[in-house]
Amino acid sequence: MSNVLEIRNLTKKFGDFIAVDNMSLAVREGEIFGFLGANGAGKSTTINMISSLLRNTKGEIILLGKNIAKSAKFAKSNIGVVPQDLAIYEDMTAYENVSFFAGLYGLRGAQLKERTVEALEFVGLGDKHKAYPKNFSGGMKRRLNIACAIAHRPKLIIMDEPTVGIDPQSRNYILNSVRKLNDMGCTIIYTSHYMEEVEEICTRIAIVDHGKIIAEGTKEQLKAIITDTKDIWIGIKSEDEIKVEPLKQIPGVASVRVEEHMVMINSKAEVNNLNLIIQQLIRDRAEIRSVEEQAPNLETVFLTLTGRNLRD
Amino acid sequence: MTTIHIAIKEIKQALRDRRTFLFMLAFPIVLILILGTALSNAFSGSIELGEMKVLYKDTGASPALGGYWDGFVKAVEGENVHFTPLGKDMNGQEEVKSDNYVAYVEIGDEGIRFYGSTRNTIEGNIVQGMLTTFAQRYNLVAATMKTDPVAAQAVLANASAPHDIVKETALQADKAPGSIDYYAVAMTTMIAMYGAMSASTLIRGERSRNTAIRLSAAPVSKAEIFVGKIIGSLFTNLACVLAVVLFSKYAFKADWGYHMGMVILVLLSEVLLAVAIGLGLSYLFKGETARSIVMIFTQLASFLGGAYFPIGQDESFMGWISDFSPLRWANVAINKIIYSNELGAALPAIGLNLIVAFAFLAIAIISMRRREAL
Ligand SMILES: Nc1ncnc2c1ncn2[C@@H]1O[C@H](COP(=O)(O)OP(=O)(O)OP(=O)(O)O)[C@@H](O)[C@H]1O
Ligand SMILES: [Mg+2]
């Protein structure tokens, strides 16, 4: 498989602040490439450089074999950007929105009409041609936001958190659209705060932290990085009396999270400390209902590698 | 092509914006009506006059009259009125019809015959007024001559004061800007300047809606976006301006003179100026500040330019500072075109508008090129 996108030693500075730090990566044709990172990790900055919205300070970006600094028009024509923040005109109908943006890519006349209809159909807004986005739900606006980026049939679609703040139904619709676009031959770069989404649809994932890629691979490869920790989830009746500090003192325990009816503990794999943990919980008068040892998930991988949660 | 695509979208959005109709159409039309009728007494009708060319033919049938006529012609020449004897192959009435002369006069045995233009120009009226006065005095002299030669001398002495004749008739001229006429012009030039407000949001609006991201990510150059937006903005603003011109002309019978093309050229240059100022300021100042500054600028320019009430062009501070209002340039030029057919008056206004417009466009272009995104 050939590379659709290659990034070499990419750096972006805002004044003295380094937002993207000597980043290199390759996205292959047909991939859904996940970009995982906490707030401010540098995901949007990287994406903005790929889509020519920002100039890079150093390094190069190669799209379909051409350096985008030298063939900006070619690169722009082959990319579709779904911006993190909604970018649509509220005073233009859904149809006019898609048609206007597609027109910027040189589509005209019958072809423009056809592609506009197709894009709206694709995101499930086929019956909303004449509707104004100001009357749309959050999910519908997000879908229109996507339609505006795909009507010109780009080779590479970059989606910057396309599912922020929407209902589960729209989210499923969008995730399915992403898969469908991928089936149709589009390569996709997908950033999200939602670990489950990335885990569900991405074929390869890069974890970004402080402008650097700290891990990269399929989810299996990423999970394999952390053979040395385990997650213990303990269901309890009430979390009111649970004290976190004594739990953290138990040998091997790396982190403790208390949620509703649940205590989640990340611990070194080789230490057998389940007895101590349970004893402590009983001391805190917890009524234990279940104990589960979890296989590591991406959340744990992320936490282990970056030392912080994806969503704070 | 992409430029047109962008221009069309701009026009569509502007026409859908209720503010466009409110500020650019409803507001000025209502103001013309209200101010035009409420302040109708405030207008004295004193205006500047253009050159008045009169064609005449002395048949020689009445030497006495001919003599007086020559005296009259000499005396009046200094008052911007020029008399030309009818040439061999000329048809006096045709010359007037084709607007080469304000009037044609025949001096024959039965007295003076006057052919004025059917078009109601102020100069025509003045010339007609002067000639009427002259003829009345001549008749008076002729009549008095028979009975009282001494009195006739007195009348003649009076007649040699053409200053009075000109002043008298100018005051009586029925073609002076009435209040409706004044406000039709003033409101039109005012809304032409209002174009600055919508222009200030041309680029800023895209940024605040994040659509600037899509525009920058598309294979379209900044220049194409820029030009497309300016064309769209010029089009809608000029359309509104023309709508107000036509509405005031036909619904309020406001006087727009006989040189509509030239008036529209002045207005077009003013709309371009407004768009350039709005765009330039939106690059010079950030966010809401730009909006406020454009707002203050248009209001000040409107006030000083005489949009709400005429401001005298005297030595006072107000008179002096009003010269800095683009509305003033446009109003003066347009009124000269309408009331004294001075087409040349358009040139300084258009020239000034273009120069300032290009200065502001240059600011916008330079700042735009410096930015990474739009
Ligand atoms: N124009 C700018 N000027 C200065 N700093 C900037 C600019 N844009 C981004 N940054 C900084 O660069 C860092 C990376 O920002 P970026 O938007 O790429 O993060 P992100 O990974 O997309 O985060 P999020 O998940 O919140 O979208 C942040 O610390 C941000 O404050
Ligand atoms: Mg981001």
Side-chain angles (χ1 to χ4, degrees), chain B residues 177-220:
Chain B
S179 50
I180 285 273
D181 305 318
Y182 176 86
Y183 282 113
V185 173
M187 286 298 134
T188 304
T189 54
M190 181 181 81
I191 61 159
M193 204 30 76
Y194 275 10
M197 286 199 252
S198 53
S200 75
T201 63
L202 278 179
I203 302 290
R204 201 155 45 80
E206 301 286 355
R207 275 188 232 135
S208 65
R209 283 184 284 203
N210 299 316
T211 40
I213 297 177
R214 288 196 194 280
L215 289 174
S216 315
V220 193

Side-chain angles (χ1 to χ4, degrees), chain A residues 23-277:
Chain A
M23 186 187 285
S24 296
L25 74 94
V27 177
R28 297 179 209 128
E29 193 178 343
E31 280 188 323
I32 301 180
F33 191 88
F35 231 41
L36 266 182
N39 283 318
K43 304 180 296 288
S44 293
T45 306
T46 308
I47 282 172
N48 289 345
M49 285 187 282
I50 299 169
S51 42
S52 302
L53 297 174
L54 283 175
R55 271 176 230 135
N56 50 343
T57 314
K58 258 191 246 147
E60 49 190 26
I61 301 169
I62 314 287
L63 186 90
L64 299 166
K66 293 190 189 178
N67 190 328
I68 69 161
K70 286 173 197 139
S71 1
K73 210 159 179 168
F74 168 83
K76 286 174 164 188
S77 307
N78 284 293
I79 294 179
V81 190
V82 180
Q84 178 166 359
D85 301 307
L86 285 173
I88 49 180
Y89 299 110
E90 303 253 318
D91 52 352
M92 283 164 49
T93 63
Y95 183 93
E96 288 168 334
N97 265 286
V98 177
S99 170
F100 172 67
F101 289 117
L104 296 179
Y105 291 80
L107 296 174
R108 293 285 180 273
Q111 196 186 27
L112 177 59
K113 225 178 234 173
E114 191 184 301
R115 295 285 182 82
T116 304
V117 171
E118 177 190 284
L120 283 166
E121 203 67 50
F122 194 86
V123 297
L125 294 174
D127 56 342
K128 299 280 182 217
H129 284 195
K130 295 217 167 90
Y132 287 88
K134 54 181 166 240
N135 306 322
F136 281 7
S137 71
M140 286 159 81
K141 286 185 189 177
R142 283 279 156 198
R143 286 188 269 155
L144 180 59
N145 201 37
I146 294 174
C148 290
I150 60 174
H152 61 286
R153 292 191 185 161
K155 290 251 163 46
L156 176 66
I157 298 174
I158 306 178
M159 298 184 155
D160 198 352
E161 311 206 20
T163 56
V164 179
I166 61 172
D167 56 291
Q169 203 186 338
S170 279
R171 171 189 305 235
N172 279 338
Y173 204 103
I174 289 177
L175 292 183
N176 281 333
S177 314
V178 173
R179 281 201 201 93
K180 236 162 68 187
L181 281 168
N182 186 242
D183 289 342
M184 287 161 59
C186 288
T187 304
I188 290 157
I189 296 180
Y190 191 96
T191 85
S192 178
H193 272 158
Y194 301 103
M195 197 66 78
E196 321 81 63
E197 273 181 16
V198 173
E199 197 160 354
E200 192 182 329
I201 62 166
C202 293
T203 52
R204 225 150 52 87
I205 298 159
I207 294 177
V208 189
D209 196 34
H210 296 297
K212 287 195 174 98
I213 291 179
I214 52 173
E216 191 188 337
T218 62
K219 37 188 179 259
E220 291 74 24
Q221 287 169 332
L222 288 177
K223 284 177 190 170
I225 297 174
I226 41 166
T227 50
D228 55 342
T229 73
K230 62 184 174 190
D231 281 327
I232 304 160
W233 291 11
I234 302 158
I236 47 177
K237 185 164 181 239
S238 158
E239 66 279 6
D240 295 344
E241 305 257 327
I242 304 297
K243 294 180 205 74
V244 174
E245 271 319 304
L247 286 170
K248 280 193 176 164
Q249 302 301 324
I250 295 170
V253 172
S255 74
V256 178
R257 226 160 88 208
V258 180
E259 285 181 3
E260 214 176 329
H261 305 305
M262 182 71 78
V263 177
M264 300 155 105
I265 292 172
N266 179 260
S267 161
K268 282 202 176 110
E270 76 270 13
V271 183
N272 198 344
N273 49 11
L274 193 53
N275 271 347
L276 292 172
I277 291 168

